[in-house]
């Protein structure tokens, strides 16, 4: 009888241990799934942004992998920067006419006059030149290079002409080297326009970079969920499903262990008759 009692006690302890083990496994499983969910969703929201932010240049990668490294030119953030765009319309809208007048007087008055009815010099009078034909004065002897050009003095052509006359009109007799600095050239063009009756309007500034793309992206974003959200939804469902499956399996195992322990205890428990006989 002593052996039977010991076995009953042992079976009871084993059943209790199984129950406690099942509960502990449940807790560990739920904790692990919660940690996995946090890790997955934390990376899902940031993802590519962190990878790009932490990306190293080619030179840095070579230095990390090899003891000897050489600086590689052309990489990094400098190469990714967009080339600055020359916006003639925006520059003309912000031009300083008074500065243009000073530049004109310092650089151009040795050959040109600009007042209405002014005499021609080495170069033609420039009053009303903007929008006029490139050889618009009948009383001035233009060079063959200028005569062959044709067309009118648009703001774009004036900009190219004043920047480098010999390049704009090959064979021109004008010996002026040009105004290579953008502010000086733009201010002089604005001054010429101020001395042109009914001058054509300045060109419209270029649209802001990415303005159209940003509007299209906003519309697409309103219609469809973000990439991170699309990726996060199925992962969240999978994690929740796995958590439910593990919980159900652990609970079933705990119930089975409890039933086994109770049955074993009932079968081996001594009846009152057996205890009296001993």
């Amino acid at each position: 009888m002593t052996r039977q009692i010991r076995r009953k006690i042992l079976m009871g302890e084993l059943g209790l241990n199984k129950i406690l083990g099942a509960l502990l496994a449940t807790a560990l499983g739920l904790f692990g799934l919660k940690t996995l969910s946090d890790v997955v969703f934390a990376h899902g929201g940031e993802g590519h942004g962190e990878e790009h932010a932490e990306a190293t240049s080619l030179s840095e990668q070579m230095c990390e992998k090899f003891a000897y490294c050489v600086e590689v030119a052309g990489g990094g953030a400098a190469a990714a920067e967009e080339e600055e765009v020359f916006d003639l319309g925006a520059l003309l809208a912000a031009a300083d006419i008074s500065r243009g007048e000073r530049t004109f007087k310092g650089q151009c008055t040795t050959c040109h006059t600009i007042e209405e009815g002014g005499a021609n010099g080495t170069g033609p009078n420039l009053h009303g030149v903007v929008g006029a034909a490139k050889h618009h004065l009948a009383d001035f002897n233009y060079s063959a290079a200028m005569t062959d050009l044709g067309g009118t003095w648009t703001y774009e052509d004036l900009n190219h002409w004043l920047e480098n006359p010999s390049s704009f009109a090959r064979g021109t007799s004008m010996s002026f080297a040009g105004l290579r600095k953008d502010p000086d050239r733009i201010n002089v063009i604005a001054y010429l326009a101020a001395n042109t009756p009914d001058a054509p309007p300045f060109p419209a500034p270029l649209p802001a970079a990415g303005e159209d793309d940003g509007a299209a992206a906003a519309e697409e974003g309103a219609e469809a969920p973000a990439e991170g959200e699309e990726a996060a939804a199925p992962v969240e469902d999978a994690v929740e499903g796995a958590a439910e499956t593990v919980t159900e399996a652990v609970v079933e195992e705990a119930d089975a262990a409890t039933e086994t322990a109770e049955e074993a205890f009932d079968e081996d428990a001594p009846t009152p008759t057996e205890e009296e006989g001993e």
Side-chain angles (χ1 to χ4, degrees):
M1 288 301 297
T2 303
R3 185 177 301 171
Q4 291 179 353
I5 293 173
R6 289 179 179 174
R7 188 176 66 176
K8 294 171 186 177
I9 295 172
L10 179 61
M11 291 297 296
E13 292 178 350
L14 290 175
L16 181 60
N17 289 340
K18 287 183 178 180
I19 294 172
L20 293 176
L23 294 176
L24 179 60
T26 302
L28 291 175
L30 293 176
F31 178 76
L33 289 173
K34 182 180 182 301
T35 303
L36 175 62
S37 175
D38 293 340
V39 171
V40 169
F41 296 129
H43 286 285
E46 301 170 1
H48 301 294
E50 292 183 353
E51 294 175 2
H52 289 301
E54 297 176 359
T56 57
S57 65
L58 180 59
S59 298
E60 292 172 344
Q61 295 176 22
M62 295 294 291
C63 290
E64 290 177 358
K65 293 182 180 180
F66 304 100
Y68 175 78
C69 61
V70 178
E71 289 294 331
V72 179
E81 293 181 357
E82 295 183 358
E83 183 179 355
E84 185 178 356
V85 177
F86 181 84
D87 190 343
L88 180 60
L91 292 173
L92 285 172
D96 189 329
I97 296 176
S98 61
R99 289 180 180 272
E101 181 180 8
R102 288 198 296 269
T103 302
F104 183 88
K105 289 180 177 179
Q107 299 285 335
C108 309
T109 53
T110 54
C111 299
H112 299 277
T113 60
I114 197 169
E115 64 274 5
E116 184 177 5
N120 295 323
T122 306
N125 173 265
L126 297 179
H127 184 79
V129 70
V130 181
K134 290 188 172 68
H135 44 87
H136 63 289
L137 295 180
D139 57 347
F140 183 81
N141 185 24
Y142 292 94
S143 65
M146 188 62 66
T147 304
D148 292 341
L149 282 179
T152 61
W153 281 118
T154 63
Y155 290 108
E156 291 78 6
D157 284 352
L158 282 170
N159 176 61
H160 294 310
W161 165 258
L162 291 175
E163 182 179 15
N164 192 341
S166 61
S167 176
F168 183 82
R170 299 289 182 181
T172 180
S173 59
M174 184 173 177
S175 59
F176 181 59
L179 298 172
R180 301 305 173 91
K181 294 182 179 180
D182 292 345
D184 292 343
R185 192 170 62 255
I186 296 301
N187 290 337
V188 168
I189 295 173
Y191 177 65
L192 293 175
N195 284 272
T196 297
D198 300 325
F202 291 152
L206 298 176
E211 184 176 316
D212 296 336
D213 295 339
E219 293 178 358
E220 293 179 358
E223 295 176 358
E227 179 180 354
E229 295 178 358
E230 292 179 354
V235 175
E236 182 178 3
D237 294 340
V239 172
E240 291 179 356
E244 293 177 358
T245 302
V246 172
T247 302
E248 291 176 358
V250 173
V251 171
E252 290 177 0
E253 183 179 351
D255 292 342
T258 302
E259 291 177 1
T260 302
E262 291 176 352
E263 290 175 359
F265 184 80
D266 292 339
E267 291 177 359
D268 295 335
T271 62
T273 305
E274 289 177 348
E275 291 179 354
E276 292 174 1
E278 292 180 356

